[in-house]
Amino acid sequence: MDPILSVHVKLLAVDLLSLSIQPSDPPTFTHNTRPVSRAETLGVVVSRERKDKFLKFLVDDGTGCIPCILWLNHHMFASRFHPIDLELKMQMALEYAEKIQLGILVSVRGRITAYRGIIQITVADVVVERDPNMELFHWMDSIRLSRQYNDANKLPPQSIPTLDSGKNPVQFDLKK
């Protein structure tokens, strides 16, 4: 199993919205032929629509707008969670819904899903960012990680440095 499937990958909207959807149940998503299932993004909330069962909002990171959905009715998942866990999830979802307001900078993490062919993030957690520099840091991290991954794909597998290989990690120049 690819380890990238179990982490939240930092992606810009342009990358997230251009993921390839592989038809399966549930659908799988690929970024440069590598499967991804979770994402982290950061941007300004530019749209917000609250219904009884969910909060749908758009996060604009400057490269595009990412649809995000925060489920508020965790009763439909009752069979998968302990009642105490379910209650905590519902409380957290309501707290997140209150935090998400138009014009604020938020960091969003969650599962990548598709609804009617549109890629979206099903929200696991939201953090309101107070430092506007976090947007620039997210951009730099996303670009660096994408380049690092793309350059690593060009190397033969035995030459890719790992933490236990004793080699120094590959350094990349962002000025390219």
Side-chain angles (χ1 to χ4, degrees):
M1 183 168 153
D2 195 337
I4 202 167
L5 282 173
S6 61
V7 298
H8 290 93
V9 179
K10 288 188 177 191
L11 292 172
L12 296 173
V14 68
D15 294 324
L16 183 86
L17 298 174
S18 64
L19 291 175
S20 299
I21 303 174
Q22 307 302 319
S24 61
D25 190 28
T28 56
F29 305 90
T30 56
H31 178 60
N32 296 330
T33 70
R34 194 161 189 186
V36 292
S37 63
R38 299 167 195 221
E40 178 179 343
T41 193
L42 190 138
V44 177
V45 177
V46 294
S47 172
R48 180 182 192 277
E49 178 185 0
R50 183 166 178 177
K51 302 284 186 179
D52 289 337
K53 298 180 180 184
F54 63 87
L55 171 67
K56 184 177 179 182
F57 59 101
L58 292 176
V59 174
D60 185 350
D61 72 356
T63 68
C65 292
I66 300 172
C68 300
I69 185 148
L70 173 64
W71 289 102
L72 303 173
N73 67 332
H74 287 84
H75 293 293
M76 60 191 257
F77 305 115
S79 63
R80 293 182 6 202
F81 297 109
H82 188 276
I84 294 173
D85 293 340
L86 186 63
E87 186 64 33
L88 288 173
K89 283 191 172 293
M90 290 174 53
Q91 285 177 340
M92 287 175 56
L94 291 172
E95 287 175 21
Y96 291 153
E98 292 301 316
K99 289 180 185 179
I100 299 168
Q101 298 297 324
L102 290 177
I104 63 165
L105 184 65
V106 293
S107 175
V108 178
R109 294 188 326 164
R111 283 184 308 107
I112 302 169
T113 56
Y115 179 68
R116 295 184 178 170
I118 306 292
I119 294 175
Q120 64 183 13
I121 295 178
T122 300
V123 177
D125 60 71
V126 177
V127 175
V128 174
E129 296 291 349
R130 305 251 184 260
D131 184 358
N133 292 320
M134 292 306 293
E135 193 166 18
L136 177 61
F137 292 144
H138 178 76
W139 268 62
M140 289 172 38
D141 281 345
S142 297
I143 292 168
R144 179 184 53 81
L145 292 168
S146 181
R147 284 187 179 168
Q148 188 173 4
Y149 170 74
N150 289 336
D151 288 347
N153 270 347
K154 295 174 189 169
L155 299 172
Q158 64 273 18
S159 65
I160 298 174
T162 61
L163 293 175
D164 59 350
S165 69
K167 298 179 183 178
N168 291 331
V170 179
Q171 298 296 317
F172 298 97
D173 184 10
L174 291 178
K175 296 178 186 176
K176 289 181 182 178

